[in-house]
Amino acid sequence: MIMKKIMNWVLATTLVCGASVLTSCKQAKTQNDNAVQNVSAEVQKVTTEELIRTSQSWDGVELPDYFQGRPELVAVKYVFPAGQKLGWHHHPVMNYGVLVQGELTIIGQDGKEKVVHEGEAVVEMVNTIHHGENRGTKPVILYMFYLSQKDLPLAVQHPEIPLE
């Protein structure tokens, strides 16, 4: 009988100690994993990539001088469904953007074209009539940034010019 009690005590103690060791091992592994993540975070650095630096629009025309007075900066996200054409328009203000999805074709009224690919930056024409088309099979997503002033339109539409 005493032997049975001793065996039960040894078994119970072994289970408790084993559970304690397992818990300690799990905690040590978690601490190690956290340390590895911290080291990885320290090794990874912020990177930069200049997409464009220019004083010309995509068609090679020099951009106008800055306005006098307080600027108004505007950011716009455009989504062009596949096959969609944007009407003829011009921008009275400087603007540039980054195409994050798809492929956009910009056509000047003179017939000159620029195809902007995913990941590319583009500087739009100022005061020159043009339009854009999504000739691809997936939506175009384009982020544009305008350097404007209060009450100036970002674009002036020209519905009198028919799209082909």
Side-chain angles (χ1 to χ4, degrees):
M1 181 77 157
I2 291 179
M3 190 62 158
K4 188 174 182 180
K5 283 185 179 181
I6 291 173
M7 289 299 288
N8 284 340
W9 180 83
V10 168
L11 182 59
T13 304
T14 303
L15 288 174
V16 168
C17 289
S20 177
V21 167
L22 273 176
T23 300
S24 295
C25 287
K26 284 181 183 177
Q27 288 172 343
K29 182 183 181 320
T30 300
Q31 289 171 347
N32 186 46
D33 288 348
N34 289 339
V36 168
Q37 286 174 347
N38 289 339
V39 168
S40 294
E42 290 174 17
V43 172
Q44 295 177 355
K45 303 248 190 260
V46 172
T47 62
T48 63
E49 177 184 354
E50 188 171 286
L51 298 178
I52 195 166
R53 180 186 295 248
T54 185
S55 58
Q56 299 177 343
S57 58
W58 65 263
D59 63 341
V61 175
E62 289 292 318
L63 294 171
D65 290 336
Y66 280 116
F67 294 116
Q68 294 293 320
R70 183 170 307 277
E72 182 176 69
L73 306 178
V74 183
V76 179
K77 176 184 177 182
Y78 292 94
V79 179
F80 292 75
Q84 183 66 41
K85 293 181 179 183
L86 193 61
W88 291 100
H89 63 279
H90 77 271
H91 302 284
V93 299
M94 289 184 279
N95 65 94
Y96 62 98
V98 177
L99 194 118
V100 297
Q101 180 181 292
E103 187 175 280
L104 178 66
T105 303
I106 305 169
I107 302 105
Q109 196 174 19
D110 62 1
K112 193 173 192 179
E113 291 188 6
K114 166 75 175 171
V115 178
V116 185
H117 303 278
E118 201 165 290
E120 290 182 344
V122 62
V123 177
E124 274 278 37
M125 304 166 134
V126 180
N127 291 320
T128 301
I129 297 173
H130 62 283
H131 81 275
E133 297 180 3
N134 179 354
R135 296 175 178 168
T137 58
K138 65 181 180 179
V140 161
I141 299 176
L142 174 67
Y143 290 98
M144 293 299 294
F145 305 95
Y146 297 85
L147 293 84
S148 187
Q149 283 186 315
K150 188 175 182 193
D151 298 326
L152 278 179
L154 302 179
V156 176
Q157 301 301 315
H158 292 279
E160 71 279 6
I161 305 171
L163 285 174
E164 299 171 0

